[in-house]
Amino acid sequence: MPLIVISGYPTSGKTHRAQQLVQFFTSKINSSPDPRVKQIIVHHINDQTLGLSHDVYKEAKLEKEARATEYSAVKRFLGQNAIVIADGLNYIKGFRYQLYCDAKSARTTSCVVHVGTPIETCRQNNDGLLAKGESAGYPSEIFENLVFRYEEPNGMNRWDSPLFTVALDDETPPFERIWDAVVGSDGQVKKVKPNVATVTTSATESDYLYELDKATQDILNLILDWQKNHPGEGGAEIRVGDEMVTISPNVATLPQLQRIRRQFISLNRQNKTPKTRISTLFADYVSHNLG
């Protein structure tokens, strides 16, 4: 069922906007004459519902585990008769891409709601919360670090589209437009045709994991060799099988590439991407996470 990803700076009002959406969707569902719509349940997932504190952002390992917890919760409800509102920071575009792929795999719609509160307003909000001793506030060092690393959604990217930006002075998000995007104006929940990158197929070939490991390592070697031979140059296209794949203009270090490779293998260990497509899809995945 539909996935709505909330994204914004810390203390930008994401949870307030998410709660507005929960109230609207719940009212819309309850008032619908369609019995199929009435069966939909709205799930609101954030740090509070998952029992996570802001301390998880002090260390990269803890933050990674927190994202994994959010990811697992979202994935658990996606296949059910529900609208899932992922109300986390969701500030890393690679993570939003991961959620987008899971929505596609579940053959459901998704969108991103960007809470566009200015940084200075967020900083004032955070300072106010800290002064009151409220747990919703972020320690100043963590707040500044998260703001610095924030990767703003871009509606030109398919994983950030459709994108709805809610300005500070907007009383509410564009409820009806979001409903139409993920459910449909006629109230009939939309179905999405998955692409090759997200289709799950049966595990019939015993050497699949070997091919997954080998193909992804070969792509890393191609990227590292290209960077070595073209120092200081931007992105380029490299040939992968019969296709040309664009690699990121940003220089990637070996640890970065290895981390992305582990993520891709983890995502595709069970999905059984066709072996002939592993290299191309992984090159595309690397580009999305580095671009």
Side-chain angles (χ1 to χ4, degrees):
M1 295 298 286
L3 170 65
I4 300 172
V5 178
I6 310 290
S7 182
Y9 291 124
T11 64
S12 60
K14 297 182 303 300
T15 296
H16 170 63
R17 299 305 191 182
Q19 289 172 341
Q20 287 181 311
L21 287 169
V22 170
Q23 293 173 3
F24 171 79
F25 284 133
T26 301
S27 175
K28 190 89 170 178
I29 291 167
N30 291 338
S31 62
S32 174
D34 191 328
R36 289 170 296 183
V37 174
K38 283 186 175 294
Q39 294 176 1
I40 299 175
I41 300 173
V42 181
H43 291 283
H44 179 200
I45 299 171
N46 63 6
D47 287 353
Q48 287 71 39
T49 63
L50 297 174
L52 301 173
S53 73
H54 295 334
D55 289 340
V56 300
Y57 299 105
K58 289 182 177 179
E59 299 179 24
K61 180 182 178 182
L62 294 177
E63 183 179 339
K64 182 179 179 180
E65 291 173 351
R67 280 200 302 272
T69 300
E70 178 188 353
Y71 174 74
S72 297
V74 170
K75 195 168 183 178
R76 183 166 62 251
F77 292 121
L78 267 183
Q80 301 180 18
N81 197 31
I83 293 175
V84 182
I85 299 177
D87 169 28
L89 288 175
N90 300 321
Y91 70 96
I92 299 174
K93 61 184 174 183
F95 184 63
R96 295 197 300 270
Y97 176 74
Q98 191 174 0
L99 293 174
Y100 161 83
C101 287
D102 277 324
K104 289 276 285 185
S105 181
R107 305 194 179 198
T108 190
T109 54
S110 65
C111 74
V112 174
V113 176
H114 177 215
V115 181
T117 306
I119 294 176
E120 188 53 42
T121 301
C122 295
R123 187 175 286 113
Q124 292 172 1
N125 292 341
N126 193 64
D127 290 344
L129 291 169
L130 292 177
K132 296 177 182 177
E134 296 188 17
S135 60
Y138 293 77
S140 296
E141 183 178 348
I142 292 178
F143 175 88
E144 297 299 338
N145 182 264
L146 290 172
V147 166
F148 176 76
R149 291 190 288 147
Y150 186 75
E151 296 175 319
E152 186 171 313
N154 182 349
M156 298 296 289
N157 297 327
R158 64 183 183 277
W159 61 89
D160 285 334
S161 178
L163 175 64
F164 301 94
T165 298
V166 186
L168 176 63
D169 55 359
D170 289 347
E171 291 187 6
T172 66
F175 292 137
E176 293 293 346
R177 289 170 54 209
I178 295 173
W179 176 270
D180 290 349
V182 297
V183 178
S185 57
D186 59 357
Q188 302 300 312
V189 178
K190 298 178 179 179
K191 296 292 184 182
V192 172
K193 182 179 180 180
N195 54 30
V196 177
T198 58
V199 171
T200 301
T201 58
S202 59
T204 57
E205 300 180 46
S206 60
D207 61 344
Y208 173 74
L209 290 179
Y210 167 79
E211 291 293 339
L212 181 64
D213 182 80
K214 181 178 183 300
T216 53
Q217 185 59 55
D218 288 345
I219 293 298
L220 290 200
N221 293 338
L222 279 174
I223 294 174
L224 291 170
D225 287 345
W226 189 91
Q227 290 184 164
K228 180 180 179 181
N229 296 325
H230 301 80
E233 295 186 23
E237 288 190 330
I238 58 174
R239 180 168 293 281
V240 178
D242 296 329
E243 300 185 43
M244 297 299 292
V245 177
T246 302
I247 62 174
S248 169
N250 298 325
V251 175
T253 63
L254 178 58
Q256 283 179 303
L257 292 172
Q258 288 175 333
R259 173 179 55 79
I260 293 170
R261 177 172 175 260
R262 288 194 297 270
Q263 291 174 345
F264 183 84
I265 289 176
S266 177
L267 282 171
N268 290 276
R269 186 179 297 274
Q270 299 299 326
N271 283 355
K272 305 298 290 182
T273 298
K275 290 195 298 181
T276 57
R277 293 284 293 159
I278 290 174
S279 295
T280 304
L281 295 174
F282 177 59
D284 187 48
Y285 185 77
V286 171
S287 181
H288 285 313
N289 279 271
L290 292 176

